[in-house]
Amino acid sequence: MEAVKFSRYDMADYLKSEGDIAVYMEAAMEDGDPAVIAAALGNVARARNMSQLARDTGLSREGIYKALSGDGNPSFATILKIAQALGLRMEFKPASAEHH
């Protein structure tokens, strides 16, 4: 019997539109784990042009991969710089409808 081969699942392959990216990042933010948020931003970065992102942020491609690997611990300034270069805006709002 021949072995069945599966290609590696890559979330970046599914982030095709601005709407897809917004929903994906919102879900990552709701998780609240900084490593999950950084890794999600890394998936968005990989769905885009990483070389252009490196130019736009002034960071190296390797530095971006490392910072957003989920194992890295990027500064808030780095996260913000990458998000802005990707055309994303971070937003804060009440956690529940009870907070007015």
Side-chain angles (χ1 to χ4, degrees), residues 41 57 59 67 73-85 90:
L41 199 55
T57 61
L59 303 168
N73 189 13
S75 69
F76 183 72
T78 298
I79 292 288
L80 196 56
K81 184 185 287 189
I82 292 169
Q84 288 172 336
M90 295 184 74

Side-chain angles (χ1 to χ4, degrees), residues 3-97:
V4 176
K5 293 184 180 181
F6 293 94
S7 60
R8 187 177 151 271
Y9 177 81
D10 189 348
M11 188 62 208
D13 294 338
Y14 299 91
L15 299 172
K16 302 293 187 198
S17 72
E18 296 300 314
D20 294 342
I21 290 169
V23 168
Y24 178 64
M25 287 307 302
E26 192 170 312
M29 292 292 285
E30 284 180 13
D31 181 278
D33 181 340
V36 169
I37 295 165
L41 199 55
N43 287 332
V44 173
R46 286 186 303 100
R48 301 283 185 82
N49 183 326
M50 189 62 81
S51 296
Q52 184 63 48
L53 180 61
R55 286 190 293 273
D56 291 347
T57 61
L59 303 168
S60 70
R61 286 176 49 134
E62 296 75 19
I64 294 169
Y65 279 119
K66 185 175 187 294
L68 302 180
S69 68
D71 297 325
N73 189 13
S75 69
F76 183 72
T78 298
I79 292 288
L80 196 56
K81 184 185 287 189
I82 292 169
Q84 288 172 336
L86 289 169
L88 299 171
R89 184 182 71 214
M90 295 184 74
E91 187 174 281
F92 294 94
K93 55 187 176 185
S96 71

